[in-house]
Amino acid sequence: MGLILDTSALISLERGQSHTLNSGEIYTIPAIVWAEALVGVQLATTVDIAARRMARLEAIRNVTGVQDFTPAVAVHYAEIFTELSKNGRLIPQNDIAVAATARFLNFGVLVGPSDESHFRRVAGLDVQVLG
């Protein structure tokens, strides 16, 4: 089984705040997480900061790749949204897309040290915290 990188994990890695990824594990980045990371690049206060962020993110992406949001992932998204909605425990929609990508691939979700606990509301989702 592999791990999906949540934005919190990707940012922690990009900032060098966490250990590197385990070389024996398979990782991927959902397209929505990549989009959120690119927002961080575009919101950088200087061109130099933006270039450094982009270079670090590209280095991570070269190792992990980016998983598309496909019609099959959309089915999982709809299922998760429905499950959480019926329980009155919705999580942010971008994170539903992350969880749906993980379910589709039968992967867990790797979150940053702040532990995005709302992922734990998704039934059967393996949530791991970057150390």
Side-chain angles (χ1 to χ4, degrees):
M1 177 172 80
L3 291 169
I4 294 290
L5 297 182
D6 174 52
T7 305
S8 62
L10 186 62
I11 289 170
S12 182
L13 289 165
E14 182 263 328
R15 290 181 178 166
Q17 296 172 331
S18 296
H19 303 289
T20 59
L21 299 176
N22 179 350
S23 62
E25 191 74 64
I26 299 170
Y27 299 96
T28 192
I29 300 171
I32 192 65
V33 169
W34 186 247
E36 290 175 342
L38 293 176
V39 168
V41 171
Q42 293 186 14
L43 290 175
T45 55
T46 69
V47 173
D48 288 341
I49 292 171
R52 280 193 306 271
R53 282 182 184 170
M54 193 68 215
R56 287 189 296 248
L57 288 169
E58 284 291 351
I60 295 168
R61 186 179 69 94
N62 286 336
V63 172
T64 64
V66 173
Q67 177 66 41
D68 291 339
F69 189 90
T70 64
V73 174
V75 170
H76 290 274
Y77 180 100
E79 291 170 354
I80 293 168
F81 184 95
T82 301
E83 292 165 10
L84 295 173
S85 183
K86 285 182 179 178
N87 294 331
R89 301 193 62 183
L90 278 175
I91 65 175
Q93 289 193 12
N94 285 359
D95 290 338
I96 294 174
V98 171
T101 304
R103 264 201 193 171
F104 169 71
L105 295 172
N106 197 30
F107 277 25
V109 174
L110 183 64
V111 299
S114 62
D115 186 17
E116 303 291 329
S117 62
H118 56 266
F119 279 112
R120 298 181 195 283
R121 296 182 195 165
V122 178
L125 189 63
D126 175 35
V127 180
Q128 297 184 26
V129 180
L130 189 62

